[in-house]
Amino acid sequence: FPGRSASVARVVLSMALVILVAMTLQVPFLSLSMIMVLFSAQESTLLTRMSGTTLLIGATLAVALGLLLVKFTIDYPVLRMLGASAIAFGAMYFMRISRLGAIGYLAALFVFYIQSFVDLGLEPETLLRSVLWFWMAVTYPIVLTIAVSLFVGWMSLSVMPSGFRMLRDLITLIRADFVANVVKEGQFVS
């Protein structure tokens, strides 16, 4: 599809920056950070910004729900797993009924992942630090991916030679004319 090279460049640059930040600042959960880059990187800058914003909100809510669940059920493993299962069920249901389904999937994943920290036998302060590092490892790749997407979009518009810019505008005009005049609703549906 058109724009594939720009999408690949955005993902590769985002992943390289995430690796650089994780290795330089010793941020844990690098593999999870890489997954978040793949979740938040979309076909266009607009879609990346929209999905990144919703993923940031969803990740923050999931971590808050996980911490709340740990607070009330830390000494009761059965209640903790039942609570995590209820939250996961609600999140998966949200995934099926909403356009923002990725938030539901990530909320379920994060709540169970946070519950696994409790089983490590950490002190409460260490547990909280681990959960907050988890939140950091999830959110900074999303922010970096949005920033890289905006930067690559700006570079492609400002650095691109004017001849290419005119060609792109002409192709966009032809596509818009094709969609407006040739494609009719229900034409390809039997």
Side-chain angles (χ1 to χ4, degrees):
F1 67 89
R4 183 177 298 165
S5 59
S7 294
V8 170
R10 287 194 310 261
V11 170
V12 168
L13 186 58
S14 296
M15 287 204 175
L17 285 174
V18 166
I19 291 171
L20 182 71
V21 168
M23 294 297 167
T24 305
L25 301 176
Q26 297 180 352
V27 178
F29 311 114
L30 177 60
S31 58
L32 191 62
S33 298
M34 301 300 268
I35 290 170
M36 293 312 300
V37 169
L38 293 175
F39 262 126
S40 59
Q42 300 294 322
E43 295 87 20
S44 68
T45 303
L46 177 68
L47 289 175
T48 300
R49 198 172 57 204
M50 286 173 31
S51 71
T53 304
T54 55
L55 288 174
L56 281 173
I57 293 168
T60 303
L61 288 175
V63 169
L65 277 174
L67 279 175
L68 194 64
L69 185 64
V70 167
K71 178 181 178 183
F72 292 115
T73 62
I74 194 164
D75 292 330
Y76 307 105
V78 173
L79 286 178
R80 193 171 67 242
M81 285 300 113
L82 284 174
S85 297
I87 291 171
F89 177 78
M92 290 296 176
Y93 180 72
F94 180 76
M95 183 178 86
R96 297 303 300 163
I97 65 167
S98 174
R99 287 181 151 180
L100 305 174
I103 292 176
Y105 173 76
L106 288 175
L109 175 73
F110 293 168
V111 166
F112 274 114
Y113 201 73
I114 289 169
Q115 300 314 308
S116 70
F117 291 150
V118 177
D119 294 331
L120 296 175
L122 303 172
E123 294 292 320
E125 182 180 349
T126 310
L127 175 67
L128 180 62
R129 285 179 188 237
S130 296
V131 170
L132 292 178
W133 271 115
F134 171 78
W135 178 77
M136 179 59 69
V138 166
T139 55
Y140 88 88
I142 298 171
V143 173
L144 274 178
T145 303
I146 293 170
V148 164
S149 180
L150 291 172
F151 177 72
V152 169
W154 173 78
M155 288 295 288
S156 68
L157 291 176
S158 65
V159 176
M160 186 178 7
S162 62
F164 286 131
R165 195 174 300 138
M166 288 178 8
L167 178 64
R168 186 197 64 208
D169 292 341
L170 178 65
I171 290 172
T172 304
L173 181 66
I174 290 171
R175 281 185 187 165
D177 187 50
F178 176 76
V179 169
N181 297 319
V182 177
V183 178
K184 304 292 186 219
E185 183 177 344
Q187 181 178 359
F188 299 109
V189 179
S190 58

